[in-house]
Amino acid sequence: MDLRVEGKIFLVTAASRGLGYGVAEALVEEGANVIICSRQKESLESATESLGSLSRFFVCDLSQEEDIRALLDDVAAITDHIDGLFVNAGGPPPGSFSDLSEEQWLRAYNLTLMSAVRLTREALPLLQTADSPSILYSTSISVKQPIENLMLSNSLRSAVIGMMRTLADEIGPTGIRVNAICPGWILTNRVDELLADDSSSKEQIISRIPLGRMGTPEEFGEVSAFLLSPVSSYIHGALLLIDGGLYRGMM
Ligand code: NAD
């Protein structure tokens, strides 16, 4: 299927590797231009080298308000519009309620919820002038069922879904679509590093996934590119799980 994104411009955040990189790669393969960001110039240089001439980067720490403002100023200096925004950031640290300090909660709030709020606010003027604009929030299966020992992620990602569903009503009439994608286990560098010395945990995780394997960043990227593209023009306010059947709820 032609996603009709050739020549369009997408901002894909936290994309020097992992899920974000998978999305940038899928969009570039369809002929789109991508602007990616993350914290380190060196990893961004190597990512854009692999992505090729349709990509460029800006350095940005998504937990910092001023960095997000500067990112969108930089983007606005090179284009008068963007066709899509993929909202993604690093994950907050694990921990149960009794382990977490006030400071850790506030840091996670900035990284997970406020990065989504700020990216949306700063990007809206650039999206408003595009033909078929769309925002896709990357969250987690944890918005459907909590994951053990991930108090911060379970709490703050659900708030992103609350914002997305409310935005669907508020900005749908302006023609900007909003959706969320909720990954289960996708075998990114981070997941690989996390489970590298723990093959029994990896086997245990896989045994609970009906498809019998983790997903790949390429699979995640292709579905995200579809949701960002004009081909999904009537999908709005939706949450899509990409989890190989891991979520067992009926709805
Ligand atoms: P990853 O470590 O492979 O990639 C993370 C990317 O985010 C890197 O490019 C990193 O440089 C960037 N990044 C991290 N913190 C940043 C910050 N403060 N500012 C800017 N860039 C930042 O991780 P991943 O597996 O791709 O995960 C991405 C997000 O998706 C995380 O929040 C993770 O918790 C969440 N998630 C991942 C999975 C999975 O199975 N991989 C499942 C559910 C949720």
Short mmCIF file of all heavy atoms in Angstrom, two decimals, residues 13-22 36-40 43-44 47 58-64 67-68 86-92 110-112 115 138-142 147 150 153 157 181-193 214-215 217 220 242, ligand 1:
data_model
loop_
_atom_site.label_atom_id
_atom_site.label_comp_id
_atom_site.label_asym_id
_atom_site.label_seq_id
_atom_site.Cartn_x
_atom_site.Cartn_y
_atom_site.Cartn_z
N THR A 13 10.30 12.06 17.60
CA THR A 13 11.15 12.37 18.76
C THR A 13 11.74 11.10 19.38
O THR A 13 11.21 10.00 19.21
CB THR A 13 10.38 13.19 19.83
OG1 THR A 13 9.37 12.39 20.41
CG2 THR A 13 9.79 14.45 19.22
N ALA A 14 12.84 11.30 20.11
CA ALA A 14 13.59 10.20 20.76
C ALA A 14 13.85 9.09 19.74
O ALA A 14 13.43 7.95 19.92
CB ALA A 14 12.83 9.67 21.97
N ALA A 15 14.56 9.44 18.68
CA ALA A 15 14.63 8.53 17.53
C ALA A 15 16.05 8.19 17.09
O ALA A 15 16.25 7.77 15.95
CB ALA A 15 13.83 9.12 16.38
N SER A 16 17.04 8.35 17.97
CA SER A 16 18.39 7.95 17.54
C SER A 16 18.50 6.43 17.51
O SER A 16 19.38 5.87 16.88
CB SER A 16 19.45 8.55 18.45
OG SER A 16 19.33 8.05 19.77
N ARG A 17 17.57 5.74 18.20
CA ARG A 17 17.52 4.28 18.14
C ARG A 17 16.13 3.83 18.61
O ARG A 17 15.27 4.64 18.93
CB ARG A 17 18.63 3.66 19.00
CG ARG A 17 18.46 3.90 20.49
CD ARG A 17 19.53 3.21 21.30
NE ARG A 17 19.05 2.95 22.65
CZ ARG A 17 19.67 2.18 23.55
NH1 ARG A 17 20.83 1.64 23.25
NH2 ARG A 17 19.17 1.98 24.74
N GLY A 18 15.92 2.52 18.65
CA GLY A 18 14.71 1.96 19.24
C GLY A 18 13.44 2.23 18.43
O GLY A 18 13.45 2.28 17.20
N LEU A 19 12.34 2.40 19.16
CA LEU A 19 11.03 2.56 18.52
C LEU A 19 11.00 3.79 17.62
O LEU A 19 10.46 3.74 16.51
CB LEU A 19 9.94 2.68 19.59
CG LEU A 19 9.78 1.51 20.57
CD1 LEU A 19 8.65 1.79 21.56
CD2 LEU A 19 9.52 0.22 19.83
N GLY A 20 11.54 4.90 18.12
CA GLY A 20 11.54 6.14 17.33
C GLY A 20 12.29 5.96 16.02
O GLY A 20 11.83 6.38 14.95
N TYR A 21 13.45 5.31 16.10
CA TYR A 21 14.23 5.08 14.89
C TYR A 21 13.43 4.21 13.91
O TYR A 21 13.42 4.46 12.70
CB TYR A 21 15.58 4.41 15.22
CG TYR A 21 16.43 4.22 13.99
CD1 TYR A 21 17.26 5.24 13.54
CD2 TYR A 21 16.37 3.04 13.25
CE1 TYR A 21 18.02 5.09 12.39
CE2 TYR A 21 17.12 2.89 12.10
CZ TYR A 21 17.95 3.90 11.68
OH TYR A 21 18.69 3.76 10.53
N GLY A 22 12.74 3.19 14.45
CA GLY A 22 11.92 2.32 13.59
C GLY A 22 10.86 3.11 12.83
O GLY A 22 10.60 2.85 11.65
N ILE A 36 14.55 14.12 13.29
CA ILE A 36 14.59 13.31 14.51
C ILE A 36 15.32 14.10 15.61
O ILE A 36 16.05 15.06 15.33
CB ILE A 36 15.27 11.93 14.29
CG1 ILE A 36 16.76 12.08 13.93
CG2 ILE A 36 14.54 11.13 13.23
CD1 ILE A 36 17.53 10.77 13.95
N CYS A 37 15.12 13.67 16.85
CA CYS A 37 15.85 14.29 17.96
C CYS A 37 16.14 13.25 19.03
O CYS A 37 15.48 12.21 19.09
CB CYS A 37 15.07 15.46 18.55
SG CYS A 37 13.69 14.95 19.58
N SER A 38 17.15 13.52 19.81
CA SER A 38 17.41 12.82 21.08
C SER A 38 18.49 13.66 21.78
O SER A 38 18.77 14.79 21.33
CB SER A 38 17.80 11.36 20.88
OG SER A 38 19.09 11.25 20.38
N ARG A 39 19.09 13.11 22.83
CA ARG A 39 19.97 13.98 23.63
C ARG A 39 21.39 14.09 23.12
O ARG A 39 22.09 15.06 23.40
CB ARG A 39 20.02 13.47 25.08
CG ARG A 39 18.80 13.80 25.88
CD ARG A 39 18.77 12.99 27.15
NE ARG A 39 18.83 11.57 26.87
CZ ARG A 39 18.82 10.61 27.78
NH1 ARG A 39 18.78 10.92 29.05
NH2 ARG A 39 18.87 9.34 27.42
N GLN A 40 21.87 13.05 22.38
CA GLN A 40 23.29 13.04 22.04
C GLN A 40 23.57 13.21 20.55
O GLN A 40 23.07 12.43 19.73
CB GLN A 40 23.92 11.74 22.53
CG GLN A 40 24.15 11.77 24.02
CD GLN A 40 24.42 10.41 24.60
OE1 GLN A 40 24.40 9.41 23.89
NE2 GLN A 40 24.68 10.36 25.89
N SER A 43 25.04 10.07 18.55
CA SER A 43 24.11 9.00 18.15
C SER A 43 23.13 9.49 17.08
O SER A 43 22.72 8.73 16.21
CB SER A 43 23.38 8.40 19.35
OG SER A 43 22.98 9.40 20.23
N LEU A 44 22.82 10.78 17.11
CA LEU A 44 21.94 11.33 16.07
C LEU A 44 22.66 11.37 14.72
O LEU A 44 22.07 11.10 13.67
CB LEU A 44 21.48 12.74 16.46
CG LEU A 44 20.41 12.79 17.56
CD1 LEU A 44 20.33 14.17 18.19
CD2 LEU A 44 19.05 12.37 17.01
N ALA A 47 22.58 7.92 13.42
CA ALA A 47 21.22 7.55 12.97
C ALA A 47 20.89 8.19 11.62
O ALA A 47 20.38 7.53 10.72
CB ALA A 47 20.19 7.96 14.02
N PHE A 58 18.02 17.39 15.35
CA PHE A 58 18.32 18.43 16.32
C PHE A 58 18.50 17.76 17.68
O PHE A 58 17.78 16.81 17.99
CB PHE A 58 17.20 19.47 16.40
CG PHE A 58 17.03 20.25 15.13
CD1 PHE A 58 15.93 20.05 14.31
CD2 PHE A 58 17.99 21.17 14.74
CE1 PHE A 58 15.78 20.76 13.12
CE2 PHE A 58 17.86 21.90 13.55
CZ PHE A 58 16.75 21.69 12.75
N VAL A 59 19.42 18.27 18.47
CA VAL A 59 19.64 17.73 19.81
C VAL A 59 18.57 18.30 20.74
O VAL A 59 18.28 19.50 20.69
CB VAL A 59 21.05 18.12 20.32
CG1 VAL A 59 21.24 17.68 21.77
CG2 VAL A 59 22.12 17.50 19.43
N CYS A 60 17.97 17.45 21.57
CA CYS A 60 16.92 17.93 22.49
C CYS A 60 16.77 16.97 23.66
O CYS A 60 16.66 15.76 23.45
CB CYS A 60 15.60 18.02 21.72
SG CYS A 60 14.17 18.41 22.73
N ASP A 61 16.78 17.50 24.86
CA ASP A 61 16.42 16.68 26.03
C ASP A 61 14.93 16.91 26.27
O ASP A 61 14.52 18.00 26.69
CB ASP A 61 17.25 17.09 27.25
CG ASP A 61 16.90 16.25 28.48
OD1 ASP A 61 15.85 15.57 28.47
OD2 ASP A 61 17.70 16.28 29.44
N LEU A 62 14.13 15.89 26.01
CA LEU A 62 12.68 16.05 26.04
C LEU A 62 12.11 16.27 27.44
O LEU A 62 10.93 16.58 27.59
CB LEU A 62 12.02 14.83 25.39
CG LEU A 62 12.29 14.72 23.88
CD1 LEU A 62 12.09 13.30 23.39
CD2 LEU A 62 11.40 15.68 23.10
N SER A 63 12.94 16.09 28.47
CA SER A 63 12.44 16.37 29.81
C SER A 63 12.54 17.86 30.15
O SER A 63 12.09 18.29 31.21
CB SER A 63 13.20 15.54 30.85
OG SER A 63 14.55 15.93 30.89
N GLN A 64 13.13 18.64 29.25
CA GLN A 64 13.35 20.08 29.51
C GLN A 64 12.46 20.96 28.64
O GLN A 64 12.53 20.89 27.40
CB GLN A 64 14.82 20.44 29.22
CG GLN A 64 15.84 19.61 29.97
CD GLN A 64 15.73 19.82 31.49
OE1 GLN A 64 15.58 20.95 31.96
NE2 GLN A 64 15.80 18.73 32.24
N ASP A 67 14.28 23.08 26.03
CA ASP A 67 14.80 22.30 24.91
C ASP A 67 13.70 22.03 23.87
O ASP A 67 13.94 22.07 22.67
CB ASP A 67 15.33 20.94 25.39
CG ASP A 67 16.78 21.01 25.84
OD1 ASP A 67 17.19 22.08 26.33
OD2 ASP A 67 17.50 20.00 25.71
N ILE A 68 12.50 21.76 24.36
CA ILE A 68 11.39 21.47 23.42
C ILE A 68 11.02 22.74 22.66
O ILE A 68 10.80 22.70 21.46
CB ILE A 68 10.18 20.87 24.18
CG1 ILE A 68 10.58 19.46 24.68
CG2 ILE A 68 8.95 20.80 23.28
CD1 ILE A 68 9.52 18.71 25.44
N PHE A 86 5.44 12.35 15.80
CA PHE A 86 5.46 11.11 16.57
C PHE A 86 6.04 11.44 17.94
O PHE A 86 7.21 11.84 18.05
CB PHE A 86 6.32 10.06 15.85
CG PHE A 86 6.39 8.76 16.60
CD1 PHE A 86 5.33 7.86 16.58
CD2 PHE A 86 7.52 8.42 17.33
CE1 PHE A 86 5.39 6.66 17.29
CE2 PHE A 86 7.59 7.22 18.03
CZ PHE A 86 6.52 6.34 18.01
N VAL A 87 5.22 11.28 18.98
CA VAL A 87 5.62 11.69 20.34
C VAL A 87 6.14 10.47 21.11
O VAL A 87 5.40 9.52 21.37
CB VAL A 87 4.42 12.32 21.08
CG1 VAL A 87 4.79 12.65 22.51
CG2 VAL A 87 3.93 13.56 20.34
N ASN A 88 7.41 10.54 21.49
CA ASN A 88 8.07 9.41 22.12
C ASN A 88 9.18 9.99 23.00
O ASN A 88 9.70 11.07 22.71
CB ASN A 88 8.67 8.56 20.98
CG ASN A 88 9.50 7.39 21.44
OD1 ASN A 88 9.13 6.68 22.36
ND2 ASN A 88 10.63 7.18 20.77
N ALA A 89 9.53 9.30 24.08
CA ALA A 89 10.66 9.73 24.93
C ALA A 89 11.21 8.51 25.63
O ALA A 89 10.60 7.43 25.58
CB ALA A 89 10.19 10.77 25.95
N GLY A 90 12.32 8.66 26.31
CA GLY A 90 12.86 7.55 27.09
C GLY A 90 11.87 7.17 28.21
O GLY A 90 11.02 7.97 28.58
N GLY A 91 11.99 5.96 28.73
CA GLY A 91 11.05 5.52 29.76
C GLY A 91 11.48 5.98 31.15
O GLY A 91 12.68 6.11 31.43
N PRO A 92 10.52 6.22 32.05
CA PRO A 92 10.88 6.55 33.44
C PRO A 92 11.42 5.31 34.15
O PRO A 92 11.16 4.19 33.71
CB PRO A 92 9.54 6.99 34.04
CG PRO A 92 8.49 6.37 33.21
CD PRO A 92 9.06 6.16 31.84
N ASN A 110 7.86 15.23 34.08
CA ASN A 110 8.41 16.06 33.00
C ASN A 110 8.75 15.23 31.76
O ASN A 110 8.50 15.63 30.64
CB ASN A 110 9.65 16.81 33.48
CG ASN A 110 9.27 18.12 34.13
OD1 ASN A 110 8.56 18.92 33.54
ND2 ASN A 110 9.70 18.33 35.35
N LEU A 111 9.34 14.06 31.99
CA LEU A 111 9.79 13.23 30.87
C LEU A 111 8.62 12.61 30.11
O LEU A 111 8.59 12.62 28.87
CB LEU A 111 10.71 12.11 31.39
CG LEU A 111 11.23 11.12 30.35
CD1 LEU A 111 12.16 11.82 29.37
CD2 LEU A 111 11.96 9.96 31.02
N THR A 112 7.64 12.08 30.83
CA THR A 112 6.61 11.27 30.17
C THR A 112 5.36 12.08 29.81
O THR A 112 4.89 12.00 28.68
CB THR A 112 6.23 10.06 31.06
OG1 THR A 112 7.42 9.34 31.33
CG2 THR A 112 5.23 9.15 30.38
N SER A 115 6.49 16.18 28.40
CA SER A 115 7.10 16.21 27.06
C SER A 115 6.00 16.10 26.01
O SER A 115 6.04 16.80 24.98
CB SER A 115 8.13 15.09 26.90
OG SER A 115 7.51 13.82 26.98
N SER A 138 3.24 7.62 21.41
CA SER A 138 3.69 6.27 21.72
C SER A 138 3.62 6.09 23.23
O SER A 138 4.23 6.86 23.99
CB SER A 138 5.12 6.08 21.22
OG SER A 138 5.49 4.73 21.35
N THR A 139 2.86 5.11 23.68
CA THR A 139 2.73 4.90 25.12
C THR A 139 3.19 3.48 25.46
O THR A 139 4.34 3.14 25.24
CB THR A 139 1.29 5.19 25.61
OG1 THR A 139 0.39 4.31 24.98
CG2 THR A 139 0.89 6.62 25.34
N SER A 140 2.29 2.63 25.91
CA SER A 140 2.68 1.27 26.30
C SER A 140 1.42 0.45 26.57
O SER A 140 0.35 1.00 26.87
CB SER A 140 3.51 1.33 27.59
OG SER A 140 3.61 0.06 28.20
N ILE A 141 1.58 -0.86 26.50
CA ILE A 141 0.49 -1.77 26.91
C ILE A 141 0.06 -1.47 28.35
O ILE A 141 -1.04 -1.79 28.76
CB ILE A 141 0.95 -3.24 26.76
CG1 ILE A 141 -0.22 -4.21 26.92
CG2 ILE A 141 2.08 -3.57 27.72
CD1 ILE A 141 0.15 -5.67 26.68
N SER A 142 0.92 -0.78 29.11
CA SER A 142 0.62 -0.50 30.52
C SER A 142 -0.59 0.43 30.67
O SER A 142 -1.14 0.54 31.76
CB SER A 142 1.83 0.12 31.23
OG SER A 142 2.09 1.40 30.73
N ILE A 147 1.90 -2.78 34.56
CA ILE A 147 3.04 -3.70 34.57
C ILE A 147 3.69 -3.63 35.95
O ILE A 147 3.89 -2.53 36.50
CB ILE A 147 4.06 -3.32 33.46
CG1 ILE A 147 3.38 -3.38 32.09
CG2 ILE A 147 5.28 -4.25 33.51
CD1 ILE A 147 4.25 -2.88 30.95
N LEU A 150 6.34 -0.94 37.68
CA LEU A 150 6.50 0.24 36.82
C LEU A 150 5.47 1.31 37.21
O LEU A 150 4.68 1.76 36.38
CB LEU A 150 6.34 -0.13 35.34
CG LEU A 150 7.46 -0.93 34.68
CD1 LEU A 150 7.24 -1.01 33.16
CD2 LEU A 150 8.84 -0.33 34.95
N SER A 153 5.59 4.66 35.04
CA SER A 153 5.13 4.47 33.67
C SER A 153 3.62 4.19 33.64
O SER A 153 2.88 4.79 32.86
CB SER A 153 5.91 3.30 33.04
OG SER A 153 5.35 2.94 31.82
N ARG A 157 1.72 7.35 31.74
CA ARG A 157 1.32 7.06 30.35
C ARG A 157 -0.20 7.11 30.22
O ARG A 157 -0.73 7.47 29.16
CB ARG A 157 1.85 5.71 29.91
CG ARG A 157 3.37 5.69 29.76
CD ARG A 157 3.83 4.44 29.05
NE ARG A 157 5.24 4.18 29.23
CZ ARG A 157 6.23 4.80 28.61
NH1 ARG A 157 5.96 5.78 27.78
NH2 ARG A 157 7.48 4.46 28.83
N ILE A 181 -0.34 4.68 20.05
CA ILE A 181 0.09 3.31 19.79
C ILE A 181 0.70 2.76 21.09
O ILE A 181 1.44 3.48 21.79
CB ILE A 181 1.06 3.23 18.58
CG1 ILE A 181 1.36 1.77 18.25
CG2 ILE A 181 2.34 4.05 18.78
CD1 ILE A 181 1.88 1.55 16.84
N CYS A 182 0.35 1.52 21.42
CA CYS A 182 0.70 0.97 22.74
C CYS A 182 1.49 -0.32 22.56
O CYS A 182 0.90 -1.40 22.39
CB CYS A 182 -0.59 0.68 23.52
SG CYS A 182 -1.76 2.06 23.50
N PRO A 183 2.82 -0.22 22.59
CA PRO A 183 3.62 -1.44 22.39
C PRO A 183 3.62 -2.35 23.61
O PRO A 183 3.62 -1.89 24.75
CB PRO A 183 5.03 -0.89 22.11
CG PRO A 183 5.07 0.47 22.73
CD PRO A 183 3.65 1.00 22.70
N GLY A 184 3.64 -3.66 23.33
CA GLY A 184 3.91 -4.66 24.36
C GLY A 184 5.42 -4.79 24.45
O GLY A 184 6.10 -3.86 24.85
N TRP A 185 5.95 -5.95 24.04
CA TRP A 185 7.41 -6.14 24.05
C TRP A 185 7.94 -6.03 22.62
O TRP A 185 7.67 -6.89 21.79
CB TRP A 185 7.79 -7.49 24.64
CG TRP A 185 7.66 -7.53 26.13
CD1 TRP A 185 6.58 -7.96 26.83
CD2 TRP A 185 8.64 -7.10 27.09
NE1 TRP A 185 6.82 -7.82 28.18
CE2 TRP A 185 8.09 -7.31 28.37
CE3 TRP A 185 9.94 -6.57 26.99
CZ2 TRP A 185 8.77 -7.00 29.55
CZ3 TRP A 185 10.62 -6.27 28.16
CH2 TRP A 185 10.04 -6.48 29.42
N ILE A 186 8.72 -4.98 22.36
CA ILE A 186 9.35 -4.80 21.05
C ILE A 186 10.86 -4.89 21.29
O ILE A 186 11.39 -4.19 22.17
CB ILE A 186 8.99 -3.43 20.42
CG1 ILE A 186 7.46 -3.18 20.42
CG2 ILE A 186 9.58 -3.32 19.02
CD1 ILE A 186 6.63 -4.04 19.52
N LEU A 187 11.51 -5.72 20.51
CA LEU A 187 12.93 -6.00 20.77
C LEU A 187 13.83 -4.87 20.26
O LEU A 187 14.49 -4.97 19.23
CB LEU A 187 13.32 -7.35 20.13
CG LEU A 187 14.66 -7.94 20.57
CD1 LEU A 187 14.77 -8.05 22.09
CD2 LEU A 187 14.87 -9.29 19.93
N THR A 188 13.86 -3.78 21.02
CA THR A 188 14.74 -2.65 20.72
C THR A 188 16.08 -2.86 21.44
O THR A 188 16.22 -3.79 22.24
CB THR A 188 14.12 -1.34 21.23
OG1 THR A 188 13.89 -1.49 22.64
CG2 THR A 188 12.81 -1.03 20.54
N ASN A 189 17.02 -1.95 21.21
CA ASN A 189 18.32 -2.02 21.90
C ASN A 189 18.12 -2.04 23.41
O ASN A 189 18.77 -2.77 24.14
CB ASN A 189 19.19 -0.80 21.57
CG ASN A 189 19.24 -0.52 20.09
OD1 ASN A 189 18.31 0.07 19.55
ND2 ASN A 189 20.30 -0.95 19.44
N ARG A 190 17.17 -1.23 23.87
CA ARG A 190 16.94 -1.11 25.32
C ARG A 190 16.48 -2.44 25.90
O ARG A 190 16.98 -2.89 26.93
CB ARG A 190 15.90 -0.03 25.58
CG ARG A 190 15.68 0.31 27.04
CD ARG A 190 14.53 1.30 27.19
NE ARG A 190 13.29 0.71 26.76
CZ ARG A 190 12.45 0.05 27.56
NH1 ARG A 190 12.70 -0.07 28.84
NH2 ARG A 190 11.33 -0.46 27.09
N VAL A 191 15.52 -3.06 25.24
CA VAL A 191 14.99 -4.34 25.72
C VAL A 191 16.08 -5.40 25.66
O VAL A 191 16.25 -6.21 26.58
CB VAL A 191 13.74 -4.74 24.90
CG1 VAL A 191 13.32 -6.17 25.20
CG2 VAL A 191 12.59 -3.78 25.20
N ASP A 192 16.84 -5.37 24.59
CA ASP A 192 17.95 -6.32 24.43
C ASP A 192 18.94 -6.16 25.59
O ASP A 192 19.34 -7.15 26.21
CB ASP A 192 18.64 -6.01 23.09
CG ASP A 192 19.24 -7.26 22.50
OD1 ASP A 192 18.80 -8.36 22.89
OD2 ASP A 192 20.16 -7.13 21.67
N GLU A 193 19.31 -4.91 25.90
CA GLU A 193 20.25 -4.64 27.00
C GLU A 193 19.66 -5.08 28.35
O GLU A 193 20.33 -5.69 29.17
CB GLU A 193 20.59 -3.15 27.07
CG GLU A 193 21.49 -2.67 25.94
CD GLU A 193 21.37 -1.16 25.68
OE1 GLU A 193 20.79 -0.41 26.50
OE2 GLU A 193 21.85 -0.74 24.61
N MET A 214 8.85 -11.54 20.53
CA MET A 214 8.69 -10.09 20.68
C MET A 214 8.53 -9.49 19.28
O MET A 214 8.92 -10.11 18.29
CB MET A 214 9.92 -9.49 21.35
CG MET A 214 10.05 -9.95 22.79
SD MET A 214 11.38 -9.07 23.64
CE MET A 214 11.35 -9.93 25.21
N GLY A 215 7.99 -8.26 19.24
CA GLY A 215 7.90 -7.57 17.95
C GLY A 215 9.22 -6.94 17.58
O GLY A 215 10.16 -6.89 18.40
N PRO A 217 11.36 -3.46 15.87
CA PRO A 217 11.16 -2.02 15.65
C PRO A 217 10.63 -1.74 14.24
O PRO A 217 9.91 -0.77 14.04
CB PRO A 217 12.57 -1.45 15.82
CG PRO A 217 13.29 -2.44 16.68
CD PRO A 217 12.71 -3.79 16.33
N PHE A 220 6.88 -2.21 14.38
CA PHE A 220 6.32 -1.06 15.10
C PHE A 220 6.33 0.18 14.20
O PHE A 220 5.37 0.94 14.15
CB PHE A 220 7.14 -0.81 16.38
CG PHE A 220 6.66 0.36 17.18
CD1 PHE A 220 5.65 0.20 18.13
CD2 PHE A 220 7.20 1.62 16.99
CE1 PHE A 220 5.20 1.28 18.88
CE2 PHE A 220 6.74 2.71 17.72
CZ PHE A 220 5.74 2.54 18.67
N ILE A 242 0.11 -2.98 19.95
CA ILE A 242 0.96 -3.77 19.06
C ILE A 242 1.79 -4.66 20.00
O ILE A 242 2.82 -4.27 20.52
CB ILE A 242 1.79 -2.88 18.09
CG1 ILE A 242 2.77 -3.73 17.30
CG2 ILE A 242 2.46 -1.70 18.77
CD1 ILE A 242 3.33 -3.05 16.05
P1 NAD B 1 15.63 2.85 23.40
O1 NAD B 1 16.49 3.05 24.59
O2 NAD B 1 16.01 1.77 22.44
O3 NAD B 1 15.48 4.23 22.63
C1 NAD B 1 15.13 5.39 23.35
C2 NAD B 1 15.41 6.63 22.55
O4 NAD B 1 14.99 7.75 23.32
C3 NAD B 1 16.90 6.85 22.26
O5 NAD B 1 17.02 7.45 21.00
C4 NAD B 1 17.30 7.83 23.38
O6 NAD B 1 18.43 8.60 23.03
C5 NAD B 1 16.06 8.69 23.45
N1 NAD B 1 15.87 9.41 24.72
C6 NAD B 1 15.85 8.88 25.97
N2 NAD B 1 15.63 9.86 26.88
C7 NAD B 1 15.51 11.02 26.19
C8 NAD B 1 15.30 12.38 26.55
N3 NAD B 1 15.18 12.76 27.83
N4 NAD B 1 15.25 13.31 25.56
C9 NAD B 1 15.41 12.95 24.26
N5 NAD B 1 15.62 11.69 23.86
C10 NAD B 1 15.66 10.73 24.80
O7 NAD B 1 14.16 2.59 23.99
P2 NAD B 1 12.82 2.03 23.27
O8 NAD B 1 12.68 0.59 23.57
O9 NAD B 1 12.78 2.53 21.88
O10 NAD B 1 11.69 2.75 24.14
C11 NAD B 1 11.19 4.04 23.80
C12 NAD B 1 10.04 4.36 24.75
O11 NAD B 1 9.00 3.39 24.60
C13 NAD B 1 10.44 4.31 26.23
O12 NAD B 1 9.71 5.28 26.92
C14 NAD B 1 9.99 2.92 26.66
O13 NAD B 1 9.75 2.85 28.04
C15 NAD B 1 8.71 2.80 25.85
N6 NAD B 1 8.27 1.41 25.63
C16 NAD B 1 9.07 0.53 25.01
C17 NAD B 1 8.63 -0.78 24.83
C18 NAD B 1 9.49 -1.81 24.14
O14 NAD B 1 9.14 -3.00 24.17
N7 NAD B 1 10.59 -1.44 23.52
C19 NAD B 1 7.37 -1.16 25.29
C20 NAD B 1 6.57 -0.22 25.91
C21 NAD B 1 7.01 1.08 26.08
#
